[in-house]
C-alpha cells in the first residue's frame, strides 16, 4: 500500500519563514501625501517588531522558539495523496493536498495569528483588535491570543455574524469578544449606520472599525492585526509550502501544477511562494490562484493603488482591486469576499509568474461534495474553489495522457460552514458573476489615484 | 523541545484488532425464550460475517486491507502530550491524549463504521439503517457508506435533529439520509407518536425504528448497524489503544491511569481494552470510565439483563442499565445519554477491573473550556467528561507529589456542538442528577427479568 499521508516529525518542521520580498521588486505603499509610508507612520497600528518584518528584505527569517512550540499543537500538517479522488476522476495525475484543516480553528489562519500574537506580546501589547468575514480569521486570532494571555476583540461582518452564530461562540470559548460590524463603538461604524441603519457590513468596513478601535485606545496597549494581504502575513504562511516541499521530496515528487484559492491571498501565498523561489531560478511550474467569479480581483480588476479598508485609514497599497467601496455578492465563501488582493500576489500576477483563474460558486460546491465523498474530509467553501481547479487540471491530464503532479492547499474544513452545503444540496444556491458594467463602475474610483508600475523581478 | 505529538507511520499502524472476549468470561445474550441467542437468530439484523465477529473468541482478528486503506485517511491518530494543560494545573503528572477528533466526521466512531460498512458490502448488502443521538454515529456511518457506495438511512432522535440541523447536512454531504425519530416510517415510531405526538424521541426508540426498517425490507439487501454496545464494535475500536501503546513505548512511557468517557462504552473500550489485557497479566493500572451524573449506568444502575432498544426487538444483554424505557435528562453530551452500557464494559466493572466515575455537566464544560484555552483544540461535550476526571487526577498527583502518567481518549471535537459552549458561557446550563426515587423507578422494570451472574475472569 502506498503511503497516503506524508508526515514530518516536529524536528523536521522548518525553523525559518521564506520572505519573497528578497526576490521580487515591489511598488511601495503610499501615505496620504502620495509618498512612500515610513515605518513610524504605522506605529500606532502595529507593534514595531511586526512593522520591521513587514518591510524586511531578508530572504529567511527565524521562527521564534515560542511560536514553534505552539505550532506543534497541529504542525507539521499532513500532506495527503488524494488517491480516492484520482480514482474517481480516472486521471493519470497524482494529486497531493496539504491539510491545513487540522489546526484548532480549522484553517491555515493560525500560522500567522500565533506569531502576530507573539510579537504583540513581546512588544508589551495587551489587547488586539481585528475584523473577520466568514469567521476563520477571528477564530484563529482568538485562539492565538488565548495562548499568550492577550485580550482579543473581533469586528465581524454583520451578515456573517447573524448567519453563523457558532463562530462567535468559538471565539468566546477561547476568550475572544466578537461584535457585529458596523457597530456603534467607532466613528467608522456609526457613520455607516447613520446612512444605512440596516447595513449588512463588509470586510472593508470592519477593517476600518478594528483599526480605529486600536489607534484610539489612549493607553497605547492596543494594536490592530490583519489576517491577510500584508507582507508579514504572507511570510508567516510560507511554512505551509516549506513543509510541503520537504514532504514531496520524501516521496521523490515535485509539483508540475500548484493551486490555492485566493481571497486576500494568504493561503495561496503560503503554499506557493517557496515554489515561486524555484520558478524564479528556472523551474517549470504552473501556479494558479483561484478566486470566485463573483469577486474577480486578479482575473478582471485592474492593478492599482487602493486602500485596504472602506474608510481609507490604511495606506494605499499596490494591488489588484475592485475598489475599497466594492460590496461583493453574497457568496458562501466569505473568506474570498475581499475587494483587493495581497500586493505580493498582485505583483506576481502582474509579472505573469502566476496565472489567475476563477470558478463559480456552484462548480466550487460540486467539487467539495465530490471531495467529501472520496477523500472523506469536508472542505471549506473557500477551499472548494481550489478543488474545482484541481478537477479541471486532473481531467486535462487525462485528456493529454500525462502523469502530472498536482499540489493544492486544503486551506480549511467546512464543519462550521455546513449551511452552504445545505443550501447547495437543496438546490437553493445560484451563481453570481460580476457584470462588465459593475466592473466599470468599480474601476471609476481609481481615476485620480496614483498608478503602480509593472516591474519585472527577473 | 520535547516532542508534543507522538506519531506512528502508516506502516506502524496495527494490523489486528484485540478481542477481549478471549480473556474474560461473559454472560450470553438471551433470546425471547430466555435461552442464549444463536447466530442464526441475528441473521435478519446483521450480516453473518459481523455476527461471527460478535461471537468470536479469537484473541486477535485481522483488519482487512481495504479497511486499513480507508483508516489511513486519518489514522494512525496522533498521541499528544498536554503540556500546556499540565502547566495550567501545575501538576507533576504527565498527561497524554489520543486525538480521535482528526477523522473526517470528527470522532472515534468511523473506527467501527468503516469495517461495518466493509463487512456489509462484502456480504452483498446494499443499504444500512442506523440510529443516532447527538449525530456523531450517523455522520460516521454516512461517511463510511460513501466509501463503499452503500445507501445509509439514519433515524436521529428528534430533539437533537431539531437542535442540530448541521448534523443532517453533514450526513447528506456524504450521501446519507437522516430523518427525525420517532417517524411514521415504522410501527415502532408510529406507536410512539400515537401515544405521544410531540415525543422528543430517545436513542432506544430510534434503535427500534432502525432495526425494524432493516428487518422489514423484503429484498434482504438491508441490514442494521449499531455504533456502540456490541462486542464487534468494541473490537474495532481497540485500534485506538493498540496505537496508543506503541506511541507511549516510543517515549518510554506506560500509563498509571487511563480515562475515557462512557456512554455506550465504545471509545472507552477502544482505548482501554488493550491495557486491560496487561492488567489481567498483572500490570498495575487504574482505569476510569467516566459517565454523566445525569445518566449513571455504571456508577449507580444495577447489572441486569435488559434490551438495547425501547421496543424489545434486541436480545437481552447482560449490562448495567437504567432500563430500556429510561429517558435521560437533556444534557448536552448526547452521546452519553444511553440507558445501558456495553456488556464487556459492564462485565469489567462488575469484576472491579475498572472503576466507574461520574461528573456533572457544568464540571465537564468547565474542563472543556480550560482544555481549549490551553491545548487549543475544542473538545466534544462527551470528551469533556473524560477531561474533568483527568483534571481531578492531575490535581491529586500534585497533592501526592507523584509523577503519574495519565492517558485519556480525546474522543472527538466539539465544532458541531458549540451550542452547548454557548449556553454554558451565557450561564444558561444547569446540572442534572438522577434522584434515588428515579433510580428505584428505573430498577423496578427488572423484577421479572433473568439475572446475569458475576463471573470472575481471573
Amino acid at each position: 500500500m502506498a503511503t497516503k499521508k506524508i508526515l514530518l516529525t516536529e524536528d523536521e518542521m522548518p525553523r525559518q519563514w521564506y520572505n519573497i520580498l528578497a526576490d521580487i521588486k515591489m511598488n511601495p505603499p503610499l501615505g496620504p501625501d502620495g509618498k512612500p509610508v515610513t515605518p513610524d507612520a504605522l506605529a500606532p497600528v502595529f507593534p514595531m517588531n511586526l512593522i520591521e518584518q513587514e518591510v524586511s528584505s531578508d530572504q529567511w527569517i527565524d521562527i521564534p522558539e515560542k511560536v514553534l512550540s505552539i505550532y506543534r499543537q497541529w504542525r507539521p500538517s499532513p500532506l495527503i495523496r488524494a488517491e480516492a479522488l484520482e480514482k474517481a476522476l480516472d486521471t493519470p495525475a497524482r494529486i497531493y493536498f496539504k491539510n491545513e484543516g487540522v489546526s484548532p480553528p480549522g484553517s491555515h489562519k493560525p500560522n500567522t495569528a500565533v506569531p502576530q500574537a507573539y510579537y504583540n506580546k513581546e512588544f508589551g501589547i495587551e489587547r488586539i483588535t481585528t475584523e473577520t468575514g466568514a469567521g476563520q480569521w477571528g477564530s484563529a486570532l482568538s485562539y492565538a491570543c488565548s495562548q499568550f494571555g492577550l485580550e482579543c476583540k473581533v469586528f465581524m461582518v454583520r451578515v456573517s455574524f447573524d448567519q453563523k452564530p457558532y463562530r462567535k461562540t468559538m471565539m468566546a470559548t477561547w476568550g475572544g469578544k466578537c461584535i457585529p460590524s458596523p457597530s456603534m463603538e467607532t466613528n467608522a461604524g456609526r457613520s455607516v449606520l447613520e446612512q444605512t441603519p440596516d447595513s449588512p457590513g463588509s470586510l472593508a468596513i470592519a477593517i476600518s472599525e478594528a483599526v480605529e478601535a486600536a489607534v484610539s485606545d489612549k493607553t497605547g496597549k492596543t494594536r490592530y492585526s490583519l489576517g491577510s494581504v500584508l507582507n508579514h502575513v504572507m511570510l508567516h504562511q510560507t511554512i505551509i509550502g516549506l513543509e510541503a516541499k520537504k514532504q514531496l521530496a520524501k516521496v521523490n515528487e515535485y509539483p508540475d501544477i500548484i493551486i490555492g484559492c485566493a481571497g486576500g491571498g494568504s493561503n495561496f501565498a503560503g503554499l506557493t511562494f517557496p515554489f515561486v523561489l524555484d520558478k524564479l531560478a528556472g523551474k517549470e511550474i504552473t501556479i494558479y490562484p483561484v478566486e470566485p467569479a463573483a469577486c474577480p480581483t486578479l482575473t478582471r480588476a485592474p492593478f492599482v493603488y487602493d486602500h485596504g479598508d472602506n474608510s481609507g485609514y490604511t495606506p494605499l497599497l499596490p494591488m489588484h482591486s475592485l475598489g475599497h467601496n466594492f460590496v461583493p455578492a453574497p457568496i458562501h465563501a466569505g473568506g474570498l469576499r475581499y475587494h483587493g488582493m495581497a500586493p505580493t500576489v498582485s505583483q506576481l500576477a502582474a509579472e505573469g509568474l502566476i496565472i489567475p483563474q476563477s470558478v463559480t460558486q456552484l462548480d466550487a460546491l460540486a467539487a467539495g461534495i465530490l471531495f467529501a465523498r472520496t477523500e472523506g474530509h469536508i472542505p471549506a467553501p473557500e477551499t472548494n474553489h481550489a478543488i474545482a481547479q484541481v478537477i479541471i487540471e486532473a481531467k486535462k491530464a487525462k485528456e493529454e495522457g500525462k502523469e502530472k503532479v498536482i499540489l493544492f492547499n486544503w486551506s480549511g474544513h467546512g464543519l462550521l460552514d455546513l449551511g452552504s452545503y445545505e443550501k447547495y444540496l437543496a438546490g437553493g444556491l445560484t451563481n453570481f458573476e460580476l457584470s462588465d458594467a459593475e466592473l466599470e463602475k468599480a474601476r471609476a474610483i481609481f481615476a485620480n489615484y496614483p498608478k503602480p508600475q509593472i516591474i519585472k523581478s527577473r
Side-chain angles (χ1 to χ4, degrees), chain A:
Chain A
M1 229 183 290
T3 302
K4 180 155 179 72
K5 297 186 301 304
I6 303 147
L7 305 175
L8 298 178
T9 65
E10 290 172 8
D11 286 342
E12 292 171 313
M13 184 156 68
R15 266 27 186 186
Q16 295 182 309
W17 293 299
Y18 166 60
N19 181 13
I20 201 165
L21 295 190
D23 296 299
I24 58 173
K25 297 194 184 75
M26 297 281 294
N27 290 272
L30 303 179
D33 55 1
K35 290 184 185 159
V37 286
T38 59
D40 282 350
L42 298 171
V45 184
F46 300 107
M48 193 49 79
N49 46 11
L50 273 177
I51 295 170
E52 283 162 12
Q53 244 178 27
E54 178 67 17
V55 300
S56 170
S57 57
D58 294 347
Q59 194 177 29
W60 298 95
I61 293 181
D62 287 344
I63 307 176
E65 280 293 309
K66 176 70 184 166
V67 171
L68 286 170
S69 139
I70 296 175
Y71 273 175
R72 295 179 310 143
Q73 288 189 349
W74 76 96
R75 302 210 74 84
S77 70
L79 181 77
I80 306 182
R81 172 88 183 267
E83 296 164 314
L85 178 63
E86 290 169 18
K87 205 174 156 191
L89 297 170
D90 188 24
T91 178
R94 294 190 294 284
I95 304 172
Y96 294 88
F97 66 96
K98 186 74 171 150
N99 185 355
E100 291 295 307
V102 295
S103 75
S107 79
H108 67 291
K109 290 291 187 189
N111 294 334
T112 185
V114 170
Q116 288 197 47
Y118 167 81
Y119 288 114
N120 273 281
K121 177 82 175 184
E122 285 290 296
F123 196 69
I125 299 305
E126 294 171 2
R127 274 172 302 279
I128 305 184
T129 64
T130 196
E131 73 293 325
T132 198
Q136 290 278 21
W137 170 244
S139 304
L141 194 65
S142 296
Y143 154 69
C145 285
S146 78
Q147 293 291 318
F148 292 96
L150 293 166
E151 284 177 45
C152 182
K153 182 183 263 191
V154 180
F155 293 86
M156 184 167 182
V157 176
R158 180 178 281 281
V159 58
S160 293
F161 183 91
D162 292 340
Q163 280 171 357
K164 304 185 184 184
Y166 290 145
R167 278 287 173 193
K168 176 192 66 184
T169 306
M170 193 182 212
M171 297 178 219
T173 299
W174 283 310
K177 191 176 174 197
C178 176
I179 59 173
S181 162
S183 78
M184 293 299 285
E185 294 203 9
T186 65
N187 291 329
R190 283 187 294 268
S191 115
V192 172
L193 288 174
E194 265 164 37
Q195 290 169 35
T196 326
D198 58 348
S199 165
S202 76
L203 214 41
I205 296 169
I207 295 176
S208 294
E209 288 211 89
V211 171
E212 185 185 326
V215 300
S216 62
D217 175 14
K218 299 299 175 213
T219 68
K221 295 292 188 190
T222 305
R223 289 295 183 280
Y224 164 74
S225 167
L226 187 62
S228 193
V229 179
L230 298 179
N231 301 337
H232 66 275
V233 178
M234 308 293 132
L235 172 79
H236 300 153
Q237 292 293 356
T238 59
I239 191 157
I240 303 172
L242 294 167
E243 283 183 5
K245 226 183 217 188
K246 280 194 172 187
Q247 287 164 310
L248 283 172
K250 285 202 169 196
V251 289
N252 298 311
E253 295 270 37
Y254 193 89
D256 299 299
I257 297 168
I258 313 182
I259 296 170
C261 64
S266 78
N267 96 75
F268 168 79
L271 179 65
T272 62
F273 281 8
F275 292 95
V276 170
L277 176 61
D278 296 353
K279 183 157 180 161
L280 287 167
K283 269 271 188 195
E284 271 194 37
I285 326 169
T286 307
I287 303 176
Y288 296 120
V290 187
E291 51 188 23
C295 193
T297 51
L298 285 172
T299 47
R300 296 179 65 200
F303 184 45
V304 294
Y305 265 114
D306 194 12
H307 294 289
D309 72 312
N310 180 65
S311 299
Y313 290 162
T314 74
L316 286 167
L317 300 170
M319 57 184 186
H320 280 271
S321 176
L322 291 158
H324 58 268
N325 295 123
F326 179 75
V327 178
I331 54 166
H332 277 263
L336 306 183
R337 292 176 72 245
Y338 183 62
H339 67 276
M341 180 58 67
T344 44
V345 174
S346 294
Q347 174 65 30
L348 294 181
E351 290 194 47
L353 288 164
I354 60 176
I355 306 168
Q357 305 288 336
S358 71
V359 303
T360 66
Q361 166 155 279
L362 291 177
D363 284 352
L365 271 152
I369 296 273
L370 177 63
F371 190 91
R373 291 182 186 179
T374 50
E375 294 298 318
H377 301 280
I378 298 176
E382 292 81 2
T383 310
N384 288 339
H385 290 71
I387 299 170
Q389 189 67 32
V390 168
I391 292 171
I392 290 170
E393 298 302 318
K395 287 181 176 168
K396 210 181 288 172
K398 186 186 175 184
E399 281 161 26
E400 297 172 1
K402 285 191 186 158
E403 279 195 25
K404 291 189 184 166
V405 174
I406 302 173
L407 167 67
F408 77 99
N409 201 8
W410 204 85
S411 54
H413 65 63
L415 301 188
L416 273 85
D417 299 280
L418 285 166
S420 52
Y421 284 89
E422 173 140 349
K423 280 203 182 132
Y424 174 77
L425 290 167
L429 279 195
T430 49
N431 279 335
F432 297 95
E433 222 149 330
L434 196 69
S435 71
D436 289 337
E438 286 169 305
L439 186 62
E440 276 319 303
K441 201 175 139 197
R443 269 175 191 273
I445 193 176
F446 304 113
N448 299 316
Y449 278 59
K451 302 268 178 295
Q453 316 245 310
I454 299 207
I455 320 163
K456 283 275 177 186
S457 302
R458 293 187 291 192

